Amino acid sequence: MTTGLFSVSYSQARKRFAAAARAAGVDVESHVIQGIIGREGEALATDVVRLGSSDARRLLILTSGTHGVEGFCGSAAQIALLGDTGLQARLAAADVAILVVHAINPYGFSWLSRTNEDNVDLNRNSIDFTQPLPVNDAYADLHALLVPPIWPPSDLNAAAIADYIATHGEPAYQRALTIGQYSFADGLFYGGRGPVWSTRLMRTLIDTHAKGCDAIGWIDFHTGLGPPGHGEKISVGRLDAAELQRARRWWGADVASPVDGTTVASNVGGPLLDTLRFARPDAQITAMAIEYGTVPLIDMLHMLRADAWLRRNPETPSEQAAKIRDQVRAAFCFDDAGWQGQILGQARVAILQAVLGLGRGEAG
């Protein structure tokens, strides 16, 4: 992996992030999950750094590791930012601050899982839990097939999945899984029964660091969907037409959204980005996820099935468990310098565009 930027584990990524912060002369604010340890026996924490003026009224939030194992790319982009004095110099000129949130889901990052310590997908957890929970009947029909009793799945199981896709189509299969579900705690894309630790922490960080801000941008780094190395820019959640138009002025006309059908990604219920929209409805918000492509969609979903199976079967022999985790990681981060360079280049451009967009102080 690219020395000093792309790490091989959460533990290494955290150490590198701390070292980059020290070199940049900024303090790290650490939030540790109590009573839970990582894959290497390490403490699990979300680490936060603020760059720029403490009283800036324009703030850019950068989050990595929302989906745990996807954190390697976001972490590398954040570490690169801490050493990028040229980009940081833009902050003073634009009167913009950046809040760097490293590993918002440290459990999943450490254990090479998409979900958190409760098997909750953070991008399905920011909903109003005082209202009736969404029902996903299509997922319910598939759950027993998706998380089979053995892994690898039997030929019969593989044939049943293939038959479902042949009958209903790949988009329907994707939608059934990815819009989220709230009925099967051991399943895929599970949204939970209430706000989890990471979601609550994100709300606290927003309340602490964004309370005085009039304009707030957010880039949430992800991997797994799309052509290898391409960063699809996606606006999801409870955004309105004005936010989507503003996002396209900042990041380009290729910003896609399920709201207007310009991406195959589902408009998931409860993305982490909605914590900001709930917390600061009075602020001008411009948020997106950047999703770097890796393996084909069906292969990616297959590895999420393996992840869910392993979570359901904690007694799995260590050799098999390690193999599954390595395979999951390989589906979300490539050990290829060219691919990694694509990620870092596109991340820097997106961050710069957001800083300039915030600095312009656009209305509407």
Side-chain angles (χ1 to χ4, degrees):
M1 296 201 138
T2 304
T3 302
L5 296 175
F6 281 80
S7 301
V8 298
S9 66
Y10 159 78
S11 178
Q12 185 182 64
R14 188 180 184 209
K15 291 173 183 175
R16 286 176 166 174
F17 182 79
R22 285 194 301 272
V26 291
D27 295 330
V28 177
E29 169 190 329
S30 295
H31 301 266
V32 178
I33 303 179
Q34 300 300 321
I36 301 177
I37 61 172
R39 186 166 51 98
E40 299 175 4
E42 76 275 28
L44 296 175
T46 295
D47 296 309
V48 181
V49 160
R50 183 177 176 122
L51 303 172
S53 171
S54 61
D55 58 1
R57 300 185 66 84
R58 300 164 186 170
L59 179 70
L60 175 62
I61 301 170
L62 304 176
T63 41
S64 66
T66 297
H67 285 146
V69 68
E70 300 178 25
F72 293 99
C73 288
S75 171
Q78 291 172 326
I79 293 168
L81 170 64
L82 292 179
D84 192 337
T85 54
L87 196 153
Q88 290 182 39
R90 300 271 191 156
L91 300 182
D95 192 23
V96 172
I98 297 182
L99 189 70
V100 187
V101 183
H102 184 266
I104 189 61
N105 172 11
Y107 179 93
F109 197 165
S110 177
W111 286 97
L112 304 178
S113 175
R114 176 187 171 94
T115 52
N116 81 333
E117 59 274 13
D118 306 305
N119 193 42
V120 167
D121 184 322
L122 297 193
N123 260 3
R124 310 299 184 277
N125 189 242
S126 292
I127 65 170
D128 184 354
F129 283 98
T130 67
Q131 300 299 310
L133 294 175
V135 176
N136 185 347
D137 290 331
Y139 179 88
D141 292 339
L142 282 165
H143 177 70
L145 288 175
L146 293 170
V147 192
I150 61 170
W151 197 269
S154 66
D155 291 343
L156 186 63
N157 177 273
I161 294 287
D163 182 64
Y164 184 95
I165 295 172
T167 301
H168 299 277
E170 188 174 299
Y173 178 68
Q174 178 187 2
R175 178 173 172 77
L177 273 64
T178 61
I179 62 171
Q181 55 85 18
Y182 298 81
S183 301
F184 301 89
D186 62 346
L188 283 73
F189 299 93
Y190 174 59
R193 309 297 291 185
V196 296
W197 182 87
S198 297
T199 304
R200 299 194 303 271
L201 173 60
M202 199 68 232
R203 178 61 183 263
T204 297
L205 294 175
I206 291 168
D207 290 344
T208 301
H209 293 277
K211 61 183 178 181
C213 297
D214 303 316
I216 308 166
W218 190 342
I219 301 173
D220 191 24
F221 292 101
H222 289 263
T223 60
L225 286 176
H230 171 70
E232 181 169 2
K233 295 166 284 188
I234 310 172
S235 286
V236 296
R238 298 166 60 91
L239 74 160
D240 57 23
E243 182 183 340
L244 181 55
Q245 290 169 6
R246 192 165 51 250
R248 286 173 175 157
R249 289 197 296 272
W250 286 17
W251 291 302
D254 59 332
V255 170
S257 177
V259 172
D260 63 1
T262 51
T263 178
V264 297
S266 301
N267 196 26
V268 301
L272 191 65
L273 298 176
D274 275 352
T275 58
L276 178 58
R277 298 184 180 113
F278 280 125
R280 290 299 314 277
D282 56 318
Q284 185 186 81
I285 293 167
T286 314
M288 75 158 180
I290 184 165
E291 180 93 40
Y292 298 107
T294 53
V295 299
L297 172 67
I298 296 301
D299 294 344
M300 183 270 287
L301 293 175
H302 183 73
M303 293 321 304
L304 295 186
R305 295 176 60 205
D307 179 26
W309 181 87
L310 186 57
R311 296 290 288 266
R312 182 194 273 186
N313 294 274
E315 74 290 348
T316 300
S318 58
E319 184 176 348
Q320 183 185 10
K323 180 178 179 180
I324 290 173
R325 291 191 179 103
D326 287 345
Q327 290 172 334
V328 172
R329 182 186 175 284
F332 290 97
C333 185
F334 289 174
D335 293 339
D336 176 80
W339 183 87
Q340 292 170 6
Q342 288 179 277
I343 272 60
L344 295 177
Q346 291 171 89
R348 189 181 193 276
V349 169
I351 294 168
L352 176 59
Q353 289 170 325
V355 170
L356 295 175
L358 282 164
R360 287 194 296 268
E362 299 178 357

